[in-house]
Amino acid sequence: DADVTQTPRNRITKTGKRIMLECSQTKGHDRMYWYRQDPGLGLRLIYYSFDVKDINKGEISDGYSVSRQAQAKFSLSLESAIPNQTALYFCATSDPAAPSGGHSYNEQFFGPGTRLTVL
Amino acid sequence: GESVGLHLPTLSVQEGDNSIINCAYSNSASDYFIWYKQESGKGPQFIIDIRSNMDKRQGQRVTVLLNKTVKHLSLQIAATQPGDSAVYFCAENKAIGNKLVFGAGTILRVKS
């Protein structure tokens, strides 16, 4: 969905480096999420935000931090990357208060993903 | 992409046949159950949801069935098409918080 964009799309980095993944959305949604996806597993929630400056830990927040300085942007940082953080990372948005166009209250809109490799 | 599907159960169906994808859930307190589709190289896409007080809901070419007695959810796709080939995830959601908990996924392969 072009309304949710992620940068970079691919990144290779080394152990110990600080990495930031960016997510931007033009949907005007208040809620934003960061997930990681590993082979053979579903998506696991890292952090989520219901509004600007609102930050909540998800299932697997250790080793990650996030920033929500604006409604449209939600960034994910790996303070000191390690190889087991190699994964696909997805950003998502939702607005359960105001669905439109046939969308469900439960629908989250995902970005295209960022493939991160930590060597 | 293909790395997402490593070790996932796979369902292979002939084009035109009906597909049934199953999911077992664990949290009886979930308010909604949702199905997502993930095509290769893309993020998941919402298909359909069902509230916990319902046992069946139909969409366009898809039907979701919920059996709370045995904590089982299924997605039925009628007249499966090649474009239906993807990884399908079930997810649970508590209405308060809108946090999704995803299952591991099932690969659907449609043979022409």
Side-chain angles (χ1 to χ4, degrees), chain A residues 8-115:
Chain A
R9 293 294 313 278
N10 288 282
R11 181 72 184 268
I12 300 174
T13 191
K14 295 182 178 180
T15 298
K17 294 291 187 182
R18 185 177 189 275
I19 296 298
M20 179 178 288
L21 308 182
E22 303 275 7
C23 177
S24 294
Q25 54 116 344
T26 59
K27 301 185 80 66
H29 290 171
D30 287 328
R31 299 186 177 188
M32 298 187 73
Y33 311 80
W34 274 105
Y35 294 89
R36 68 174 278 174
Q37 185 175 39
D38 297 278
L41 300 176
L43 284 81
R44 291 181 292 167
L45 183 64
I46 306 172
Y47 272 97
Y48 62 102
S49 169
F50 284 174
D51 204 345
V52 175
K53 300 295 178 69
D54 175 67
I55 302 295
N56 304 280
K57 291 184 177 181
E59 180 187 351
I60 52 164
S61 59
D62 288 348
Y64 301 95
S65 63
V66 291
S67 175
R68 183 88 185 276
Q69 298 294 330
Q71 187 201 43
K73 297 185 183 297
F74 192 33
S75 60
L76 175 72
S77 294
L78 286 67
E79 300 302 327
S80 179
I82 55 177
N84 76 2
Q85 291 178 311
T86 293
L88 269 171
Y89 289 85
F90 288 99
C91 173
T93 75
S94 74
D95 188 5
S100 61
H103 295 296
S104 163
Y105 288 100
N106 290 297
E107 185 169 359
Q108 292 187 9
F109 298 85
F110 285 81
T114 294
R115 184 174 294 279

Side-chain angles (χ1 to χ4, degrees), chain A residues 37 40 50 94 104 106 108, chain B residues 6 32 36 38 49 93 97-98:
Chain A
Q37 185 175 39
F50 284 174
S94 74
S104 163
N106 290 297
Q108 292 187 9
Chain B
L6 189 64
Y32 291 92
Y36 276 82
Q38 186 177 22
D49 62 357
N93 188 5
N98 197 32

Side-chain angles (χ1 to χ4, degrees), chain B residues 23-41:
Chain B
C23 176
Y25 65 90
S26 57
N27 188 356
S28 299
S30 294
D31 293 308
Y32 291 92
F33 300 89
I34 308 110
W35 282 100
Y36 276 82
K37 171 186 180 183
Q38 186 177 22
E39 296 175 87
S40 180

Side-chain angles (χ1 to χ4, degrees), chain B residues 8 81 104:
Chain B
L8 293 180
Q81 303 168 359

